Amino acid sequence: MTIVKGLQSEIFVPITPPSVFTPVTKPLKDMVIALATAAGVHCKSDKRFNLAGDFTWRKIPDKTPSDDLMVSHGGYDNSDVNKDINCMFAIDRLHELAKKGFIKGCAPTHVGFMGGGGDVEKFTNETGPEIGEFLKSEGVDGVVMSAG
Amino acid sequence: MVQRAIEKAGIPTIIVAALPPVVRQTGTPRAVAPLVPMGANMGAPHNVEQQTQILTAALENLVGIQTPGKIVPLPYEYIAKI
């Protein structure tokens, strides 16, 4: 095959980054699951996100009653999630599945941040790795995210 | 971006996405895509049955998906009345 280096498409072609993949090694019933959401979920007592763009993140203790959670996010229609936080952060459903033994348990702390753009560099190189290390230190076996 | 970072830290992840083309573009490791509007990714408000179906399917696909970047459509639908 002839390979010509340096050729470039004349039309815009999106570039998908190389894949990252950590295989699952346990069955669900042995996994501790954390939730991580880009929907701007946080405790009512916590600092709101800056709706104009915010790369900080919030810890959400597993024991927090879902009524004590709220959303601050400037990038989507919040009306459903204001009625029921489980629309984006299905914490009550996760507790029910843990109680049934479908999963081993819930992580002691879950994660909320405000996605939908912002400082992508910061999210990729600071916020993301920080959240990853934090969840790792909690002994989490798997993460269910809601975003996009 | 954050999903990829968590995955890089060594924890398997799955994302529940209302906009599957976006997560494909940003290089998701694993995703499920229910038929929902952005803002109710986990299901309709107060619809416990649907939220449970979506979360359960997400967890099953966390374990089930073997191919990096795979996005599995889910048959659960919620049309928001605006």
Side-chain angles (χ1 to χ4, degrees):
Chain A
M1 195 165 72
T2 312
I3 294 170
V4 182
K5 284 188 179 165
L7 284 181
Q8 209 177 343
S9 170
E10 288 183 3
I11 50 166
F12 175 73
V13 181
I15 299 164
T16 304
S19 70
V20 209
F21 198 76
T22 301
V24 175
T25 53
K26 302 174 179 178
L28 275 174
K29 64 174 176 52
D30 295 331
M31 289 175 83
V32 172
I33 301 291
L35 299 181
T37 180
V41 177
H42 57 84
C43 297
K44 283 181 181 168
S45 56
D46 225 331
K47 192 170 176 257
R48 289 170 61 89
F49 290 105
N50 175 359
L51 302 191
D54 197 331
F55 56 81
T56 61
W57 59 286
R58 309 281 182 270
K59 291 178 185 173
I60 304 168
D62 184 59
K63 301 272 178 271
T64 314
S66 49
D67 289 346
D68 291 347
L69 297 173
M70 63 174 281
V71 160
S72 53
H73 194 303
Y76 69 95
D77 183 345
N78 301 159
S79 49
D80 281 339
V81 84
N82 287 342
K83 286 179 210 153
D84 178 10
I85 199 83
N86 289 287
C87 281
M88 282 310 269
F89 189 72
I91 187 70
D92 293 333
R93 304 294 86 80
L94 192 73
H95 289 158
E96 289 157 9
L97 291 180
K99 211 171 164 189
K100 271 198 245 166
F102 187 75
I103 55 170
K104 185 180 170 193
C106 309
T109 311
H110 305 279
V111 169
F113 59 97
M114 196 186 91
D119 192 332
V120 174
E121 282 289 300
K122 288 267 189 194
F123 272 113
T124 309
N125 301 320
E126 289 178 30
T127 312
E130 262 175 45
I131 293 172
E133 284 312 309
F134 170 73
L135 291 171
K136 194 83 195 160
S137 73
E138 281 201 310
V140 166
D141 299 305
V143 179
V144 175
M145 298 194 64
S146 54
Chain B
M1 257 62 78
V2 174
Q3 186 188 13
R4 289 172 58 84
I6 297 172
E7 196 92 15
K8 262 188 203 157
I11 309 173
T13 60
I14 187 145
I15 197 162
V16 182
L19 307 171
V22 173
V23 298
R24 170 172 290 124
Q25 169 91 56
T26 48
T28 182
R30 293 176 204 80
V32 285
L35 299 160
V36 291
M38 198 167 67
N41 294 30
M42 304 305 298
H46 304 298
N47 187 338
V48 174
E49 187 189 0
Q50 187 177 59
Q51 292 169 1
T52 305
Q53 286 168 332
I54 293 176
L55 182 60
T56 305
L59 287 164
E60 284 167 350
N61 279 290
L62 170 67
V63 177
I65 292 175
Q66 303 292 328
T67 315
K70 191 167 167 82
I71 300 172
V72 175
L74 298 183
Y76 310 117
E77 185 172 28
Y78 160 49
I79 299 173
K81 293 185 187 74
I82 303 166

